[in-house]
Amino acid sequence: MIGILGLNHKTASIDVRDKFSIAPDKIIPTAEYLMQHSEITGIVIIATCNRTEIYYSRHTDCTSRSRAHMLKKVHEVLDISEDYSDYFYHYSKADAIKHLFTVISGVDSMVIGENQIVNQIKNAYLTATEANLTDAVLMRMFQKAFECSKRVRSETEIQKGATSIGYVANDLCEKEATDFKNSKVLIIGAGETGVLSLQNLKHRGVKHISITNRTNEKALEVANNLEANPILFANFHEHLSSVDIIITATNAGKYLISKEDVEKALHDRDNKKQWYIDLSVPRNIDKNINSLGAVKLFSVDDLQKIVDSHSEKRALSVDGATIIIDELVSDSIAWLNSRSLRPVINSITNNLQELSAKELNEYKNNLTPELAKEIEKYTNLLTQKCIRSFIRNLKDVTKNGESTKSLDSIEQLFKFDS
């Protein structure tokens, strides 16, 4: 069965999400640890600024006991002693599949309809698959999820308006800064979020944009492609005093800008107003800079009010998306249920074939080759007919695997003494 354990922007503040954020280079070790210490057969970990979610599959149902065990192991592998269980949600089977489809379609995002989540989930799935951490169940569910996302985005208007957290951050800056188009902006991080922010700023008419990245070559490449000013990562602190808006979007996992850095920048610019937008989880900017008078700091969670105003524009699209999601969840559950019948079907098939072959062998020695061949042909046809009939009845009795209470008893009926 499939299960999901996670927390997101709805269940946990950024301070809690910080603790359970998993850096890209820690995803595989974390997944392997959970695989080794839990009775699971596959795992995919999705870690973004708004959510940390662990999708897993196991041979048996994902019960409250498995939830408690997984929670314990997540705390252990991340070396967190305090209990944060109350911030986590846990879904299984249909609820888990629906959650995955809802997330990838942008319905569960802070920015409804945002499209960054699609690539984030694709990358998480590919990372797990390349590391041999996924099984047939997870592979099927994630392929179905990609189909769901494509249909929702093509058949509804869910992507109208803001489609990324960077877009929302730029909305905020435009409202805050008095001369926004002439403001000097520094973007720290040349990943997807940073690039989208840069593109949107240029679309809004902002003329002075600089970008830096831990990999200087990446910053130079983005700057050349989008006509921005590249800055060496080692030197970006020297430029803080010369810019009005600073946007951070990295996976550094630590503070890149301290309170002391900002105090120095304010001193050098004679306390001229500055805006800091931290789009990273864990945070990149010391939250204590909010105590400095000429500074305004906004984190991911602070963007919620703007997000809500955009969400109203796409509320009707969510209803259409839900119809598509429910349809594909039903398809997935039907497939998942049919898999639960496979052991019994194999038992019926193998045991009847073995019984037929055993009984036939006892009579072959007393028959002519021609007669033995004819009897074998007839016996195989009769056996296959019985097998098909039993399997058809099995699917009817269990509603194609939806009701599995009687499976053990049915399997016992088709075990014969050797």
Side-chain angles (χ1 to χ4, degrees), residues 126-171:
L126 289 174
T127 297
T129 301
E130 289 169 0
N132 297 317
L133 294 173
T134 53
D135 59 5
V137 172
L138 285 179
M139 292 174 75
R140 170 79 179 205
M141 290 307 106
F142 275 86
Q143 290 299 327
K144 207 69 177 175
F146 301 139
E147 176 189 342
C148 183
S149 173
K150 186 175 180 180
R151 282 192 56 186
V152 167
R153 295 172 195 282
S154 62
E155 296 176 26
T156 73
E157 295 184 344
I158 199 167
Q159 286 193 198
K160 277 196 170 181
T163 54
S164 73
I165 197 69
Y167 182 107
V168 177
N170 292 343
D171 247 12

Side-chain angles (χ1 to χ4, degrees), residues 166-313:
Y167 182 107
V168 177
N170 292 343
D171 247 12
L172 176 63
C173 294
E174 190 166 15
K175 291 175 182 177
E176 287 278 336
T178 52
D179 190 11
F180 178 65
K181 290 184 179 180
N182 289 316
S183 296
K184 294 181 179 179
V185 181
L186 169 62
I187 298 175
I188 303 174
E192 186 176 10
T193 300
V195 169
L196 288 173
S197 295
L198 198 161
Q199 290 173 328
N200 186 252
L201 285 168
K202 292 188 74 67
H203 180 73
R204 293 170 189 249
V206 179
K207 301 178 181 67
H208 310 291
I209 307 172
S210 300
I211 188 165
T212 188
N213 192 68
R214 282 180 293 176
T215 306
N216 292 316
E217 291 78 9
K218 177 68 173 177
L220 183 60
E221 177 188 349
V222 172
N224 288 337
N225 291 337
L226 297 177
E227 297 180 353
N229 175 44
I231 291 177
L232 291 174
F233 188 77
N235 299 339
F236 84 80
H237 289 92
E238 299 172 10
H239 295 264
L240 291 180
S241 61
S242 63
V243 293
D244 306 300
I245 299 169
I246 298 91
I247 300 173
T248 65
T250 82
N251 290 317
K254 61 181 181 180
Y255 287 164
L256 297 178
I257 299 175
S258 66
K259 184 179 179 182
E260 290 73 23
D261 294 328
V262 179
E263 284 177 327
K264 183 178 184 304
L266 288 175
H267 177 269
D268 292 345
R269 59 188 277 119
D270 296 325
N271 275 338
K272 185 181 177 183
K273 189 81 174 179
Q274 276 189 315
W275 293 267
Y276 286 80
I277 314 294
D278 193 347
L279 302 181
S280 307
V281 178
R283 300 172 192 261
N284 285 166
I285 303 173
D286 186 346
K287 60 184 178 182
N288 292 315
I289 71 168
N290 256 334
S291 63
L292 303 175
V295 167
K296 274 195 175 182
L297 168 66
F298 297 94
S299 69
V300 171
D301 287 358
D302 294 323
L303 303 175
Q304 189 66 56
K305 290 182 180 179
I306 298 176
V307 168
D308 290 342
S309 67
H310 286 296
S311 299
E312 293 173 6
K313 300 176 184 178

